């Protein structure tokens, strides 16, 4: 007999039938595992982008932005949108 392996939950289901898969995939724990998996993946992607950008900046491939310097004396800085 063939068992179904769920990568998100790191577990084998007892039977590989559509109803067992459907029940498993609609379960709270499975949905949490899927959410956690993609949350972690997004964080890794963001960190990778940050690391690449930092490395490029340190190698001089990216010029400093106008926002990296302090504003000129008397310049108005707009308030955040929440105010």
């Amino acid at each position: 007999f063939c068992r179904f392996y769920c990568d998100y939950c790191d577990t084998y289901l007892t039977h590989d039938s559509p109803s067992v898969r459907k029940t498993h995939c609609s379960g709270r724990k499975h949905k949490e595992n899927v959410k956690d998996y993609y949350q972690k993946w997004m964080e890794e992607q963001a960190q990778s982008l940050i690391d690449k950008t930092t490395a490029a900046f340190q190698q001089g491939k990216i010029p400093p932005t106008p926002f990296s310097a302090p504003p000129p004396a008397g310049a108005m800085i707009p308030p955040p949108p929440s105010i």
Side-chain angles (χ1 to χ4, degrees), residues 65-78:
T65 66
F67 303 110
S68 62
M76 285 293 295
I77 300 172

Side-chain angles (χ1 to χ4, degrees), residues 3-13 21 24-25 29-30 32-38:
R3 295 193 303 175
F4 176 75
Y5 180 75
C6 177
D7 289 311
Y8 299 110
C9 299
D10 190 27
T11 189
Y12 284 96
L13 304 183
R21 277 196 205 189
H24 171 77
C25 292
K29 196 155 178 82
H30 173 79
E32 280 179 18
N33 288 338
V34 171
K35 187 180 112 221
D36 291 346
Y37 175 86
Y38 285 104

Side-chain angles (χ1 to χ4, degrees), residues 16-30:
D16 186 13
S17 70
S19 63
V20 169
R21 277 196 205 189
K22 188 175 178 183
T23 301
H24 171 77
C25 292
S26 63
R28 178 187 55 82
K29 196 155 178 82
H30 173 79

Side-chain angles (χ1 to χ4, degrees), residues 47-76:
Q47 190 59 54
S48 172
L49 186 60
I50 290 167
D51 294 344
K52 287 177 186 171
T53 304
T54 302
F57 181 77
Q58 288 171 342
Q59 293 168 9
K61 294 178 182 173
I62 301 174
T65 66
F67 303 110
S68 62
M76 285 293 295

